[in-house]
Amino acid sequence: MSYADHLISIKQLLLKNNAKIIAHYYVDEQVQRLAEDTGGFVGDSLEMARYGSKQKETTLIVAGVKFMGETAKILNPDKKVLMLDIEATCSLDTGCDYAEFKEFCDTHNDRDVVVYANTSAKVKSISDWVVTSSMAVPLIEHLTSLGKKLIWAPDKYLGNYVIDTTGADMLLWDGSCIVHEEYKTIELKNMIAKHPDCDVLVHPESPRSIIQLANTVGSTTRLIEASKASKKKYIIVATEKGILYQMKKFSPNKIFLEAPTEGEGATCKSCGRCPWMNLNIVQKLLDVFNAKTNEIVLSRDIINKAKKPIDRMINFNLNNKINRAS
Ligand code: CIZ
């Protein structure tokens, strides 16, 4: 089937089922295009959640990973939320088990609990704050100015970046993203040396030695903005390569290079591609309404508890007018 045929079929299915597609920057390029061309949305997890809440359609199709579907459900409990693939998860989410995390929090109950959006609804339900990478630094600065001691979970690299930037007193959970953890420092230095006329854009889920080589460190939205603003010919990108679709769309004349994941210490995970984001393929957009097993189901209790720290995040963002591109 051609792209045009897919587009016609998917538009009809969406109309018939009163549905809209909400996709993440990290999914397959064709899926992002189909979301855009059917009047849906592509963005980071915070924007996806916000956008979903404003739609009149009764069904949201989430092309991304499970925590994004759960956040969409928490903010839209009366809508049906369908994942393109219910097995699509995230190593940060699976690496932060609810029972173990609860024990950790109970042991340090003098600390406020801040969790990254990349966690399960259950983990969010026992947290004080949810953050995305776009607002981690300003929120932690704010909490630190109030004299708060914190627990941070699950990404230790993002946690360390926040501590380096804000000086916060945070206990870190030992989690990591299997994609960002794989970037290789010596190989990145070599790539920069080969392309001196370059900007280096790095997501803060990367190790500190990679972050130290960046011109810009930030969320997916921030990195896309930085790629647009860059005056350089070469842009080296250290984040999931699905994002390159958006970057190339806005800057067709720039040359984008994927930060190296091969080299000393590389494993079969080192491909710069998230295996779970990669489950979001076009065929599943055609099958999504018949799949039966891909609906996000959460109890009212979890929805009510997890909504509190998510609402706090959204309100903090609004009150502090954090730039969408930060
Ligand atoms: O929050 C998100 O969407 C993720 C996973 C990354 C980012 O930086 O936007």
Side-chain angles (χ1 to χ4, degrees):
M1 238 170 144
S2 68
Y3 179 80
D5 291 336
H6 278 134
L7 182 59
I8 292 168
S9 307
I10 291 165
K11 269 187 177 165
Q12 285 168 348
L13 283 170
L14 292 172
L15 203 60
K16 185 169 155 218
N17 291 279
N18 195 18
K20 206 152 221 189
I21 305 170
I22 304 180
H24 193 269
Y25 291 132
Y26 287 162
V27 298
D28 173 76
E29 168 173 341
Q30 295 277 313
V31 174
Q32 292 190 49
R33 276 184 70 194
L34 285 162
E36 290 169 340
D37 293 345
T38 55
F41 181 76
V42 183
D44 64 29
S45 64
L46 177 62
E47 294 166 344
M48 286 166 76
R50 280 210 206 112
Y51 176 87
S53 314
K54 290 189 201 130
Q55 304 316 302
K56 62 177 183 345
E57 282 77 5
T58 51
T59 297
L60 303 175
I61 310 293
V62 174
V65 293
K66 198 166 176 184
F67 79 83
M68 297 170 184
E70 288 187 343
T71 304
K73 184 70 186 174
I74 291 162
L75 293 178
N76 302 279
D78 299 328
K79 290 190 199 270
K80 184 185 258 192
V81 176
L82 300 178
M83 299 297 300
L84 283 200
D85 192 312
I86 201 78
E87 299 298 323
T89 185
C90 163
S91 58
L92 289 164
D93 180 346
T94 56
C96 189
D97 172 74
Y98 169 76
E100 287 172 19
F101 186 58
K102 185 167 181 328
E103 197 183 323
F104 183 66
C105 295
D106 290 346
T107 311
H108 303 285
N109 60 9
D110 56 329
R111 290 174 177 262
D112 284 13
V113 178
V114 181
V115 299
Y116 195 28
N118 305 35
T119 45
S120 66
K122 254 182 122 177
V123 163
K124 290 185 176 86
S125 76
I126 52 166
S127 305
D128 298 302
W129 289 90
V130 173
V131 290
T132 58
S133 48
S134 59
M135 57 172 298
V137 167
L139 175 70
I140 300 303
E141 260 167 3
H142 168 69
L143 296 178
T144 300
S145 75
L146 300 178
K148 301 276 187 193
K149 296 196 298 176
L150 305 169
I151 285 174
W152 170 275
D155 192 317
K156 62 182 172 189
Y157 296 115
L158 179 54
N160 273 321
Y161 171 69
V162 171
I163 292 174
D164 290 348
T165 314
T166 65
D169 177 349
M170 301 204 303
L171 283 185
L172 304 186
W173 188 256
D174 187 16
S176 60
C177 162
I178 58 167
V179 174
H180 292 91
E181 193 167 39
E182 290 295 314
Y183 292 116
K184 301 285 181 280
T185 312
I186 295 170
E187 288 73 9
L188 178 55
K189 281 184 182 162
N190 291 341
M191 184 180 262
I192 295 169
K194 260 194 221 155
H195 303 284
D197 184 29
C198 76
D199 268 334
V200 182
L201 313 184
V202 173
H203 194 280
E205 287 172 25
S206 308
R208 189 184 268 132
S209 59
I210 299 293
I211 290 179
Q212 282 166 349
L213 298 173
N215 299 96
T216 301
V217 183
S219 68
T220 48
T221 305
R222 167 107 172 89
L223 297 186
I224 291 168
E225 293 301 324
S227 74
K228 281 193 221 169
S230 173
K231 300 274 181 283
K232 300 290 169 69
K233 178 171 175 197
Y234 291 97
I235 317 264
I236 300 177
V237 182
T239 194
E240 217 278 356
K241 60 173 101 165
I243 202 170
L244 295 175
Y245 162 63
Q246 297 290 337
M247 291 183 171
K248 288 177 183 169
K249 188 176 78 179
F250 292 119
S251 307
N253 297 323
K254 292 175 189 161
I255 299 174
F256 290 92
L257 303 172
E258 295 164 24
T261 48
E262 289 169 5
E264 186 76 21
T267 69
C268 63
K269 291 183 299 179
S270 311
C271 64
R273 195 76 183 100
C274 169
W276 297 292
M277 287 288 181
N278 228 0
L279 290 173
N280 291 273
I281 55 171
V282 173
Q283 183 59 42
K284 291 178 188 166
L285 278 173
L286 295 164
D287 298 340
V288 69
F289 298 106
N290 294 324
K292 306 276 185 246
T293 53
N294 56 345
E295 181 169 357
I296 296 286
V297 181
L298 294 171
S299 72
R300 277 281 162 181
D301 181 48
I302 290 291
I303 288 179
N304 292 340
K305 288 181 180 151
K307 191 169 182 304
K308 285 184 192 150
I310 295 176
D311 280 346
R312 265 192 208 131
M313 161 177 81
I314 291 173
N315 291 334
F316 178 82
N317 233 21
L318 291 177
N319 293 338
N320 291 277
K321 297 196 177 44
I322 291 175
N323 188 330
R324 279 178 64 253
S326 58

mmCIF file of all heavy atoms in Angstrom, residues 24-29 32 177-180 183 201 203 205-206 220 223 237-245 247 258 271-279:
data_model
loop_
_atom_site.group_PDB
_atom_site.id
_atom_site.type_symbol
_atom_site.label_atom_id
_atom_site.label_comp_id
_atom_site.label_asym_id
_atom_site.label_seq_id
_atom_site.Cartn_x
_atom_site.Cartn_y
_atom_site.Cartn_z
ATOM 1 N N HIS A 24 4.469 10.557 19.431
ATOM 2 C CA HIS A 24 5.693 11.124 20.015
ATOM 3 C C HIS A 24 6.752 11.309 18.923
ATOM 4 O O HIS A 24 6.769 10.587 17.927
ATOM 5 C CB HIS A 24 6.227 10.201 21.121
ATOM 6 C CG HIS A 24 7.276 10.851 21.957
ATOM 7 N ND1 HIS A 24 8.626 10.762 21.667
ATOM 8 C CD2 HIS A 24 7.178 11.636 23.059
ATOM 9 C CE1 HIS A 24 9.304 11.458 22.568
ATOM 10 N NE2 HIS A 24 8.460 12.002 23.427
ATOM 11 N N TYR A 25 7.642 12.291 19.169
ATOM 12 C CA TYR A 25 8.719 12.578 18.219
ATOM 13 C C TYR A 25 9.612 11.373 17.938
ATOM 14 O O TYR A 25 10.372 11.388 16.978
ATOM 15 C CB TYR A 25 9.633 13.675 18.784
ATOM 16 C CG TYR A 25 9.044 15.049 18.871
ATOM 17 C CD1 TYR A 25 9.172 15.797 20.044
ATOM 18 C CD2 TYR A 25 8.400 15.634 17.789
ATOM 19 C CE1 TYR A 25 8.679 17.089 20.133
ATOM 20 C CE2 TYR A 25 7.899 16.931 17.879
ATOM 21 C CZ TYR A 25 8.042 17.646 19.052
ATOM 22 O OH TYR A 25 7.566 18.934 19.143
ATOM 23 N N TYR A 26 9.608 10.390 18.831
ATOM 24 C CA TYR A 26 10.534 9.269 18.674
ATOM 25 C C TYR A 26 9.968 8.135 17.807
ATOM 26 O O TYR A 26 10.700 7.189 17.529
ATOM 27 C CB TYR A 26 10.876 8.676 20.054
ATOM 28 C CG TYR A 26 11.791 9.502 20.937
ATOM 29 C CD1 TYR A 26 11.854 9.259 22.318
ATOM 30 C CD2 TYR A 26 12.619 10.492 20.433
ATOM 31 C CE1 TYR A 26 12.692 9.982 23.149
ATOM 32 C CE2 TYR A 26 13.452 11.231 21.257
ATOM 33 C CZ TYR A 26 13.491 10.968 22.624
ATOM 34 O OH TYR A 26 14.324 11.677 23.447
ATOM 35 N N VAL A 27 8.690 8.198 17.419
ATOM 36 C CA VAL A 27 8.178 7.047 16.656
ATOM 37 C C VAL A 27 8.559 7.161 15.187
ATOM 38 O O VAL A 27 9.019 8.209 14.710
ATOM 39 C CB VAL A 27 6.643 6.836 16.811
ATOM 40 C CG1 VAL A 27 6.281 6.546 18.252
ATOM 41 C CG2 VAL A 27 5.842 7.991 16.242
ATOM 42 N N ASP A 28 8.330 6.061 14.495
ATOM 43 C CA ASP A 28 8.607 5.935 13.072
ATOM 44 C C ASP A 28 8.132 7.167 12.273
ATOM 45 O O ASP A 28 7.041 7.696 12.521
ATOM 46 C CB ASP A 28 7.840 4.669 12.623
ATOM 47 C CG ASP A 28 7.857 4.469 11.144
ATOM 48 O OD1 ASP A 28 8.895 4.050 10.645
ATOM 49 O OD2 ASP A 28 6.821 4.743 10.500
ATOM 50 N N GLU A 29 8.955 7.584 11.328
ATOM 51 C CA GLU A 29 8.677 8.781 10.522
ATOM 52 C C GLU A 29 7.306 8.742 9.838
ATOM 53 O O GLU A 29 6.559 9.723 9.831
ATOM 54 C CB GLU A 29 9.812 8.892 9.490
ATOM 55 C CG GLU A 29 9.557 9.859 8.414
ATOM 56 C CD GLU A 29 10.772 10.064 7.505
ATOM 57 O OE1 GLU A 29 11.915 9.747 7.897
ATOM 58 O OE2 GLU A 29 10.553 10.570 6.396
ATOM 59 N N GLN A 32 4.579 9.420 12.298
ATOM 60 C CA GLN A 32 4.507 10.860 12.603
ATOM 61 C C GLN A 32 3.815 11.617 11.469
ATOM 62 O O GLN A 32 2.953 12.465 11.704
ATOM 63 C CB GLN A 32 5.918 11.438 12.794
ATOM 64 C CG GLN A 32 6.639 10.932 14.034
ATOM 65 C CD GLN A 32 7.926 11.719 14.309
ATOM 66 O OE1 GLN A 32 7.935 12.938 14.307
ATOM 67 N NE2 GLN A 32 9.012 11.012 14.575
ATOM 68 N N CYS A 177 17.938 5.137 30.564
ATOM 69 C CA CYS A 177 17.317 4.849 29.265
ATOM 70 C C CYS A 177 18.324 4.051 28.441
ATOM 71 O O CYS A 177 19.458 4.490 28.255
ATOM 72 C CB CYS A 177 16.989 6.167 28.569
ATOM 73 S SG CYS A 177 16.712 5.947 26.801
ATOM 74 N N ILE A 178 17.882 2.906 27.925
ATOM 75 C CA ILE A 178 18.846 2.045 27.217
ATOM 76 C C ILE A 178 19.337 2.667 25.910
ATOM 77 O O ILE A 178 20.367 2.246 25.399
ATOM 78 C CB ILE A 178 18.271 0.635 26.926
ATOM 79 C CG1 ILE A 178 16.977 0.717 26.102
ATOM 80 C CG2 ILE A 178 18.066 -0.140 28.207
ATOM 81 C CD1 ILE A 178 16.552 -0.627 25.540
ATOM 82 N N VAL A 179 18.635 3.648 25.390
ATOM 83 C CA VAL A 179 19.104 4.302 24.155
ATOM 84 C C VAL A 179 20.173 5.347 24.505
ATOM 85 O O VAL A 179 21.298 5.304 24.007
ATOM 86 C CB VAL A 179 17.932 4.979 23.402
ATOM 87 C CG1 VAL A 179 18.439 5.767 22.206
ATOM 88 C CG2 VAL A 179 16.911 3.930 22.970
ATOM 89 N N HIS A 180 19.832 6.275 25.403
ATOM 90 C CA HIS A 180 20.749 7.383 25.689
ATOM 91 C C HIS A 180 22.018 6.924 26.403
ATOM 92 O O HIS A 180 23.073 7.536 26.253
ATOM 93 C CB HIS A 180 20.016 8.453 26.504
ATOM 94 C CG HIS A 180 18.943 9.142 25.717
ATOM 95 N ND1 HIS A 180 17.647 8.702 25.700
ATOM 96 C CD2 HIS A 180 19.002 10.217 24.885
ATOM 97 C CE1 HIS A 180 16.930 9.491 24.901
ATOM 98 N NE2 HIS A 180 17.728 10.413 24.402
ATOM 99 N N TYR A 183 25.437 6.232 24.193
ATOM 100 C CA TYR A 183 26.298 7.135 23.423
ATOM 101 C C TYR A 183 27.743 7.028 23.915
ATOM 102 O O TYR A 183 27.989 6.866 25.107
ATOM 103 C CB TYR A 183 25.782 8.582 23.507
ATOM 104 C CG TYR A 183 24.459 8.724 22.787
ATOM 105 C CD1 TYR A 183 23.294 9.051 23.464
ATOM 106 C CD2 TYR A 183 24.380 8.463 21.431
ATOM 107 C CE1 TYR A 183 22.076 9.126 22.807
ATOM 108 C CE2 TYR A 183 23.165 8.526 20.759
ATOM 109 C CZ TYR A 183 22.021 8.854 21.450
ATOM 110 O OH TYR A 183 20.822 8.906 20.796
ATOM 111 N N LEU A 201 23.727 18.524 19.858
ATOM 112 C CA LEU A 201 22.473 18.600 20.624
ATOM 113 C C LEU A 201 22.313 17.310 21.420
ATOM 114 O O LEU A 201 22.288 16.221 20.836
ATOM 115 C CB LEU A 201 21.281 18.780 19.676
ATOM 116 C CG LEU A 201 21.415 19.835 18.576
ATOM 117 C CD1 LEU A 201 20.109 19.950 17.788
ATOM 118 C CD2 LEU A 201 21.796 21.191 19.159
ATOM 119 N N HIS A 203 20.329 15.088 24.598
ATOM 120 C CA HIS A 203 19.233 14.923 25.561
ATOM 121 C C HIS A 203 19.830 14.604 26.933
ATOM 122 O O HIS A 203 20.781 13.815 27.026
ATOM 123 C CB HIS A 203 18.295 13.795 25.104
ATOM 124 C CG HIS A 203 17.003 13.800 25.835
ATOM 125 N ND1 HIS A 203 16.883 13.269 27.102
ATOM 126 C CD2 HIS A 203 15.793 14.306 25.513
ATOM 127 C CE1 HIS A 203 15.629 13.450 27.504
ATOM 128 N NE2 HIS A 203 14.949 14.070 26.563
ATOM 129 N N GLU A 205 19.076 12.675 29.222
ATOM 130 C CA GLU A 205 19.089 11.275 29.684
ATOM 131 C C GLU A 205 20.421 10.609 29.328
ATOM 132 O O GLU A 205 20.625 9.433 29.610
ATOM 133 C CB GLU A 205 17.942 10.478 29.041
ATOM 134 C CG GLU A 205 16.566 10.821 29.586
ATOM 135 C CD GLU A 205 15.436 10.162 28.793
ATOM 136 O OE1 GLU A 205 15.661 9.114 28.163
ATOM 137 O OE2 GLU A 205 14.321 10.714 28.796
ATOM 138 N N SER A 206 21.325 11.387 28.714
ATOM 139 C CA SER A 206 22.633 10.838 28.315
ATOM 140 C C SER A 206 23.622 10.957 29.479
ATOM 141 O O SER A 206 23.461 11.821 30.355
ATOM 142 C CB SER A 206 23.192 11.633 27.128
ATOM 143 O OG SER A 206 22.238 11.722 26.093
ATOM 144 N N THR A 220 13.206 16.986 23.974
ATOM 145 C CA THR A 220 13.053 16.798 22.522
ATOM 146 C C THR A 220 12.615 18.106 21.858
ATOM 147 O O THR A 220 13.166 18.492 20.822
ATOM 148 C CB THR A 220 12.014 15.693 22.238
ATOM 149 O OG1 THR A 220 10.850 15.913 23.026
ATOM 150 C CG2 THR A 220 12.577 14.324 22.534
ATOM 151 N N LEU A 223 15.464 20.500 21.676
ATOM 152 C CA LEU A 223 16.491 20.115 20.689
ATOM 153 C C LEU A 223 16.010 20.413 19.265
ATOM 154 O O LEU A 223 16.803 20.829 18.414
ATOM 155 C CB LEU A 223 16.863 18.632 20.853
ATOM 156 C CG LEU A 223 17.492 18.243 22.200
ATOM 157 C CD1 LEU A 223 17.955 16.788 22.182
ATOM 158 C CD2 LEU A 223 18.677 19.145 22.580
ATOM 159 N N VAL A 237 23.302 14.818 16.727
ATOM 160 C CA VAL A 237 22.124 14.665 17.593
ATOM 161 C C VAL A 237 22.267 13.425 18.475
ATOM 162 O O VAL A 237 22.378 12.308 17.972
ATOM 163 C CB VAL A 237 20.839 14.536 16.736
ATOM 164 C CG1 VAL A 237 19.609 14.417 17.634
ATOM 165 C CG2 VAL A 237 20.699 15.726 15.792
ATOM 166 N N ALA A 238 22.262 13.656 19.798
ATOM 167 C CA ALA A 238 22.323 12.532 20.743
ATOM 168 C C ALA A 238 20.960 12.384 21.405
ATOM 169 O O ALA A 238 20.745 12.814 22.546
ATOM 170 C CB ALA A 238 23.423 12.759 21.776
ATOM 171 N N THR A 239 20.032 11.836 20.661
ATOM 172 C CA THR A 239 18.764 11.369 21.228
ATOM 173 C C THR A 239 18.143 10.413 20.223
ATOM 174 O O THR A 239 18.674 10.255 19.109
ATOM 175 C CB THR A 239 17.808 12.522 21.605
ATOM 176 O OG1 THR A 239 16.763 11.998 22.433
ATOM 177 C CG2 THR A 239 17.161 13.185 20.383
ATOM 178 N N GLU A 240 17.054 9.773 20.605
ATOM 179 C CA GLU A 240 16.438 8.736 19.776
ATOM 180 C C GLU A 240 16.250 9.253 18.344
ATOM 181 O O GLU A 240 15.757 10.368 18.130
ATOM 182 C CB GLU A 240 15.084 8.383 20.389
ATOM 183 C CG GLU A 240 14.701 6.940 20.323
ATOM 184 C CD GLU A 240 14.115 6.502 19.007
ATOM 185 O OE1 GLU A 240 13.920 7.348 18.112
ATOM 186 O OE2 GLU A 240 13.855 5.299 18.859
ATOM 187 N N LYS A 241 16.634 8.418 17.370
ATOM 188 C CA LYS A 241 16.743 8.950 16.007
ATOM 189 C C LYS A 241 15.415 9.229 15.312
ATOM 190 O O LYS A 241 15.392 9.876 14.267
ATOM 191 C CB LYS A 241 17.650 8.067 15.147
ATOM 192 C CG LYS A 241 17.210 6.638 14.978
ATOM 193 C CD LYS A 241 18.101 5.932 13.956
ATOM 194 C CE LYS A 241 19.146 5.069 14.607
ATOM 195 N NZ LYS A 241 19.783 4.112 13.701
ATOM 196 N N GLY A 242 14.294 8.808 15.907
ATOM 197 C CA GLY A 242 12.983 9.167 15.351
ATOM 198 C C GLY A 242 12.822 10.686 15.236
ATOM 199 O O GLY A 242 12.111 11.186 14.360
ATOM 200 N N ILE A 243 13.524 11.424 16.098
ATOM 201 C CA ILE A 243 13.414 12.891 16.120
ATOM 202 C C ILE A 243 13.954 13.535 14.835
ATOM 203 O O ILE A 243 13.608 14.659 14.503
ATOM 204 C CB ILE A 243 14.167 13.449 17.364
ATOM 205 C CG1 ILE A 243 13.663 14.836 17.730
ATOM 206 C CG2 ILE A 243 15.662 13.462 17.146
ATOM 207 C CD1 ILE A 243 14.187 15.338 19.073
ATOM 208 N N LEU A 244 14.795 12.793 14.110
ATOM 209 C CA LEU A 244 15.425 13.379 12.924
ATOM 210 C C LEU A 244 14.396 13.743 11.855
ATOM 211 O O LEU A 244 14.615 14.655 11.055
ATOM 212 C CB LEU A 244 16.476 12.410 12.348
ATOM 213 C CG LEU A 244 17.672 12.165 13.271
ATOM 214 C CD1 LEU A 244 18.594 11.110 12.675
ATOM 215 C CD2 LEU A 244 18.434 13.453 13.540
ATOM 216 N N TYR A 245 13.261 13.056 11.854
ATOM 217 C CA TYR A 245 12.205 13.390 10.882
ATOM 218 C C TYR A 245 11.796 14.856 11.042
ATOM 219 O O TYR A 245 11.714 15.608 10.060
ATOM 220 C CB TYR A 245 11.000 12.460 11.064
ATOM 221 C CG TYR A 245 9.736 12.984 10.418
ATOM 222 C CD1 TYR A 245 9.652 13.168 9.039
ATOM 223 C CD2 TYR A 245 8.637 13.345 11.195
ATOM 224 C CE1 TYR A 245 8.499 13.673 8.450
ATOM 225 C CE2 TYR A 245 7.481 13.848 10.617
ATOM 226 C CZ TYR A 245 7.420 14.022 9.241
ATOM 227 O OH TYR A 245 6.287 14.533 8.668
ATOM 228 N N MET A 247 13.482 17.274 12.656
ATOM 229 C CA MET A 247 14.613 18.193 12.459
ATOM 230 C C MET A 247 14.877 18.416 10.966
ATOM 231 O O MET A 247 15.079 19.549 10.518
ATOM 232 C CB MET A 247 15.859 17.642 13.156
ATOM 233 C CG MET A 247 15.744 17.659 14.670
ATOM 234 S SD MET A 247 17.264 17.084 15.440
ATOM 235 C CE MET A 247 16.932 17.469 17.168
ATOM 236 N N GLU A 258 23.894 11.248 13.449
ATOM 237 C CA GLU A 258 23.510 10.599 14.703
ATOM 238 C C GLU A 258 24.745 10.450 15.572
ATOM 239 O O GLU A 258 25.771 9.952 15.096
ATOM 240 C CB GLU A 258 22.937 9.205 14.421
ATOM 241 C CG GLU A 258 21.645 9.244 13.650
ATOM 242 C CD GLU A 258 21.306 7.885 13.057
ATOM 243 O OE1 GLU A 258 21.783 6.854 13.577
ATOM 244 O OE2 GLU A 258 20.560 7.847 12.067
ATOM 245 N N CYS A 271 21.988 1.046 18.966
ATOM 246 C CA CYS A 271 21.581 1.422 17.602
ATOM 247 C C CYS A 271 20.894 2.777 17.575
ATOM 248 O O CYS A 271 20.429 3.210 16.527
ATOM 249 C CB CYS A 271 20.655 0.355 17.021
ATOM 250 S SG CYS A 271 19.118 0.223 17.933
ATOM 251 N N GLY A 272 20.802 3.458 18.717
ATOM 252 C CA GLY A 272 20.170 4.778 18.757
ATOM 253 C C GLY A 272 18.667 4.708 18.531
ATOM 254 O O GLY A 272 18.022 5.731 18.290
ATOM 255 N N ARG A 273 18.116 3.500 18.590
ATOM 256 C CA ARG A 273 16.685 3.325 18.313
ATOM 257 C C ARG A 273 16.061 2.616 19.506
ATOM 258 O O ARG A 273 16.586 1.587 19.958
ATOM 259 C CB ARG A 273 16.549 2.472 17.041
ATOM 260 C CG ARG A 273 15.182 2.502 16.422
ATOM 261 C CD ARG A 273 14.949 3.817 15.685
ATOM 262 N NE ARG A 273 13.609 3.889 15.143
ATOM 263 C CZ ARG A 273 12.595 4.552 15.719
ATOM 264 N NH1 ARG A 273 12.753 5.172 16.852
ATOM 265 N NH2 ARG A 273 11.418 4.594 15.138
ATOM 266 N N CYS A 274 14.953 3.154 19.986
ATOM 267 C CA CYS A 274 14.264 2.527 21.111
ATOM 268 C C CYS A 274 13.444 1.345 20.576
ATOM 269 O O CYS A 274 12.593 1.531 19.697
ATOM 270 C CB CYS A 274 13.344 3.547 21.778
ATOM 271 S SG CYS A 274 12.223 2.804 22.972
ATOM 272 N N PRO A 275 13.679 0.134 21.111
ATOM 273 C CA PRO A 275 12.973 -1.030 20.568
ATOM 274 C C PRO A 275 11.467 -0.941 20.775
ATOM 275 O O PRO A 275 10.700 -1.532 20.021
ATOM 276 C CB PRO A 275 13.560 -2.208 21.361
ATOM 277 C CG PRO A 275 14.138 -1.604 22.603
ATOM 278 C CD PRO A 275 14.571 -0.212 22.233
ATOM 279 N N TRP A 276 11.041 -0.165 21.779
ATOM 280 C CA TRP A 276 9.599 -0.079 22.071
ATOM 281 C C TRP A 276 8.940 1.014 21.219
ATOM 282 O O TRP A 276 7.842 0.808 20.714
ATOM 283 C CB TRP A 276 9.371 0.158 23.565
ATOM 284 C CG TRP A 276 9.892 -0.993 24.373
ATOM 285 C CD1 TRP A 276 9.390 -2.253 24.398
ATOM 286 C CD2 TRP A 276 11.034 -0.998 25.237
ATOM 287 N NE1 TRP A 276 10.144 -3.042 25.227
ATOM 288 C CE2 TRP A 276 11.155 -2.299 25.762
ATOM 289 C CE3 TRP A 276 11.959 -0.033 25.634
ATOM 290 C CZ2 TRP A 276 12.164 -2.669 26.658
ATOM 291 C CZ3 TRP A 276 12.960 -0.390 26.521
ATOM 292 C CH2 TRP A 276 13.043 -1.683 27.024
ATOM 293 N N MET A 277 9.619 2.141 21.056
ATOM 294 C CA MET A 277 9.077 3.154 20.135
ATOM 295 C C MET A 277 8.940 2.547 18.745
ATOM 296 O O MET A 277 8.013 2.831 17.996
ATOM 297 C CB MET A 277 10.019 4.370 20.067
ATOM 298 C CG MET A 277 9.992 5.238 21.290
ATOM 299 S SD MET A 277 8.432 6.148 21.365
ATOM 300 C CE MET A 277 8.672 7.085 22.869
ATOM 301 N N ASN A 278 9.896 1.668 18.437
ATOM 302 C CA ASN A 278 9.947 1.036 17.125
ATOM 303 C C ASN A 278 8.783 0.070 16.879
ATOM 304 O O ASN A 278 8.582 -0.378 15.754
ATOM 305 C CB ASN A 278 11.266 0.265 17.025
ATOM 306 C CG ASN A 278 11.986 0.548 15.740
ATOM 307 O OD1 ASN A 278 11.499 1.315 14.914
ATOM 308 N ND2 ASN A 278 13.127 -0.087 15.562
ATOM 309 N N LEU A 279 8.041 -0.280 17.923
ATOM 310 C CA LEU A 279 6.870 -1.164 17.740
ATOM 311 C C LEU A 279 5.713 -0.408 17.089
ATOM 312 O O LEU A 279 4.734 -1.005 16.648
ATOM 313 C CB LEU A 279 6.399 -1.710 19.100
ATOM 314 C CG LEU A 279 7.315 -2.722 19.791
ATOM 315 C CD1 LEU A 279 6.800 -3.038 21.186
ATOM 316 C CD2 LEU A 279 7.427 -3.992 18.972
#
